Amino acid sequence: MKVGCFALVDPFSPLEHQLERISALGFKYADVTDNHPGGLLGREFGFSATVSLDDNPRDLNDMFARHGLTVTSVCAHANLLDASAPSRYGNAEVSKAVRLAAGMKVRDVITTEGEPKTDWGHGLTSDEQVFVIAEKLYEPVRLAEAMGVKLLLEPHGPVTGTIEGLGAVLDRLGHPDTVGVNLDTGNSWLAGTDPVEMAKVFRNRIWHVHWKDMPSDWSDKRGTVFGCGMAIIPLGAGVVDIKGVYDVVKNSPAEHSTLEIAGDDNVLRSYEFLKELGAS
């Protein structure tokens, strides 16, 4: 399994800076981490590392190539439990991410439902949660299948963070050759799930992995927080059984994985940890 780095290494810096830093750390792979539809002031004035979903795919590939990097995935983490609204990253943005990935010849688009922020989203029953997630992803899945892209569900919410919930969404969406799983070791643990058990249950559907370890003092948050953007400790220093997960996913369809870890030293120590397990 190949190991890459997510493209948010330094705050308040443009994407080109992130790619330069990732390359200098010794990586050959990175993802499209943050993105937006249309234009964004922060990108135009150089303090936001985000890609426009309306960018020319060739321009983005050229930017990654200038730094010797291959793009492994496009992140399209959405709010799928609250009601659709023009201000929310949702169905339309996930579809645009699929089109962007296809234009870049990138196989994997990674999405999730996120945590609800409104009374509407918090009031949904379990069955309603599965229904609204699947309804909002129905057309993106059809588009992904037509364009040769995989749409991967990441545990990063109250539904996908559990084995039962993730399985229910996968079953409702169907299309097993198009819809898969991006296993996130830290997020699944935060949701109260055993990441090793989740890896075993979905092994044949795992096409990408996000690596995080979590400190023991986050244990009280389990089951109340369903994801975090990055870990603040290196792999092997926390409570997640990273080796146990790796032993499972090394036999999954996942070719690529991404470190979501803050701090150069933590990133490099984590990379070495995975290489000792057999990653490259």
Side-chain angles (χ1 to χ4, degrees):
M1 179 179 293
K2 300 179 179 68
V3 180
C5 188
F6 78 143
L8 289 174
V9 179
D10 293 326
F12 305 111
S13 303
L15 180 61
E16 188 103 40
H17 170 84
Q18 311 295 331
L19 302 184
E20 182 178 0
R21 289 274 282 107
I22 291 168
S23 179
L25 287 170
F27 291 96
K28 298 298 181 185
Y29 306 97
D31 61 9
V32 172
T33 304
D34 190 17
N35 53 72
H36 62 277
L40 189 74
L41 183 152
R43 184 172 82 153
E44 297 303 326
F45 287 87
F47 57 83
S48 185
T50 182
V51 163
S52 174
L53 294 169
D54 298 301
D55 271 332
N56 184 325
R58 180 182 293 178
D59 291 343
L60 293 176
N61 279 339
D62 288 347
M63 183 188 299
F64 277 75
R66 280 198 296 273
H67 300 282
L69 296 170
T70 297
V71 188
T72 61
S73 63
V74 174
C75 294
H77 291 37
N79 180 342
L80 302 180
L81 291 175
D82 289 326
S84 299
S87 61
R88 293 196 177 106
Y89 193 113
N91 168 281
E93 287 74 23
V94 177
S95 290
K96 280 193 169 189
V98 168
R99 293 184 185 276
L100 180 66
M104 297 176 70
K105 295 182 169 46
V106 172
R107 187 191 70 173
D108 296 337
V109 170
I110 299 171
T111 192
T112 192
E113 83 275 27
E115 297 185 45
K117 302 174 180 66
T118 65
D119 290 342
W120 163 267
H122 285 291
L124 297 174
T125 66
S126 296
D127 287 345
E128 288 171 338
Q129 288 177 324
V130 172
F131 175 81
V132 299
I133 293 169
E135 187 274 334
K136 286 172 181 168
L137 292 179
Y138 175 78
E139 289 297 342
V141 168
R142 291 183 65 242
L143 181 63
E145 185 169 66
M147 305 194 80
V149 170
K150 306 287 190 186
L151 190 64
L152 311 187
L153 298 176
E154 175 180 328
H156 205 311
V159 181
T160 56
T162 69
I163 291 172
E164 180 182 10
L166 180 55
V169 176
L170 290 172
D171 289 345
R172 186 64 189 256
L173 284 172
H175 299 273
D177 293 331
T178 299
V179 182
V181 174
N182 172 68
L183 180 66
D184 188 300
T185 57
N187 292 352
S188 52
W189 179 86
L190 266 177
T193 299
D194 177 357
V196 177
E197 184 62 23
M198 179 172 271
K200 290 177 178 178
V201 171
F202 298 109
R203 183 184 64 187
N204 294 333
R205 300 284 292 273
I206 295 172
W207 291 324
H208 197 101
V209 179
H210 282 173
W211 297 108
K212 301 188 189 90
D213 204 344
M214 305 303 297
S216 59
D217 59 3
W218 278 54
S219 294
D220 291 343
K221 300 178 185 293
R222 296 189 75 191
T224 63
V225 176
F226 298 94
C228 62
M230 66 184 77
I232 57 174
I233 60 173
L235 299 181
V239 295
V240 179
D241 185 1
I242 299 298
K243 181 182 183 303
V245 174
Y246 185 86
D247 286 343
V248 177
V249 299
K250 69 182 181 182
N251 296 314
S252 74
E255 178 185 0
H256 291 282
S257 64
T258 301
L259 291 172
E260 292 192 328
I261 297 168
D264 288 12
D265 184 59
N266 290 337
V267 168
L268 292 174
R269 286 174 61 188
S270 298
Y271 191 18
E272 289 302 317
F273 185 91
L274 290 176
K275 286 194 287 188
E276 289 174 4
L277 296 178
S280 60

